[in-house]
Amino acid sequence: MDNTVDLDALTGKEVLQAFALHDLELGWLQQVVFQMEDRFLTVAVNTETDELILSLLPELDFAALGQRFSTTRIANQRKRLSYIWRMTNQRGYEDGFQLEFDDVEGTTVQLLAEASQLKLYIFQRNR
């Protein structure tokens, strides 16, 4: 996983919306994008190592992304990030990432790299 992204700087930021990007050929989930106040956090899979790649970008070219991926909005409610985890499995692979939001439902989003694709799980404690 790219360790250069300063996750501490994201804590408390408001996520405006989130998108899932699926590969047009295979239909696999390849990236998830979280739009923050002034930047985009992208989570993708390194297909050679099956580890996650985190990127923090000032902007995204949605037209270019539309040529490679189908886009599905997975959230459009404004929620603040309260905790962020990088997850490492027992073999030392950095193949998991988790976001916890400060909302009434207690929403947690977990992303795992598995067989060159991304797995997305959304949990809510209070439902």
Side-chain angles (χ1 to χ4, degrees):
M1 186 180 310
D2 180 358
N3 287 317
T4 61
V5 174
D6 182 8
L7 298 180
D8 285 334
L10 299 179
T11 304
K13 294 282 187 188
E14 188 173 56
V15 175
L16 305 176
Q17 55 189 338
F19 299 93
L21 303 174
H22 292 85
D23 181 272
L24 289 175
E25 284 183 34
L26 302 172
W28 292 352
L29 179 60
Q30 293 293 300
Q31 290 186 42
V32 174
V33 177
F34 298 93
Q35 182 182 1
M36 310 274 178
E37 298 159 351
D38 57 351
R39 56 191 121 186
F40 296 86
L41 173 65
T42 64
V43 183
V45 177
N46 178 334
T47 57
E48 293 180 20
T49 65
D50 279 340
E51 292 186 285
L52 294 182
I53 302 167
L54 302 179
S55 302
L56 196 56
L57 308 170
E59 60 185 36
L60 282 181
D61 184 350
F62 283 102
L65 289 174
Q67 293 176 5
R68 293 185 50 214
F69 304 104
S70 66
T71 303
T72 305
R73 186 176 297 196
I74 58 174
N76 61 357
Q77 299 173 348
R78 294 175 176 241
K79 297 180 181 199
R80 291 202 182 276
L81 287 168
S82 56
Y83 291 97
I84 303 171
W85 289 267
R86 296 175 194 264
M87 297 185 298
T88 305
N89 70 21
Q90 78 279 8
R91 294 191 175 127
Y93 292 102
E94 295 181 338
D95 58 359
F97 182 69
Q98 182 170 300
L99 302 168
E100 182 177 317
F101 292 90
D102 183 15
D103 61 355
V104 174
E105 297 84 14
T107 304
T108 298
V109 174
Q110 192 173 85
L111 295 158
L112 301 174
E114 187 177 302
S116 298
Q117 58 185 305
L118 207 51
K119 299 291 183 175
L120 169 70
Y121 301 95
I122 300 173
F123 306 98
Q124 292 184 315
R125 286 187 307 273
N126 301 325
R127 281 209 164 185

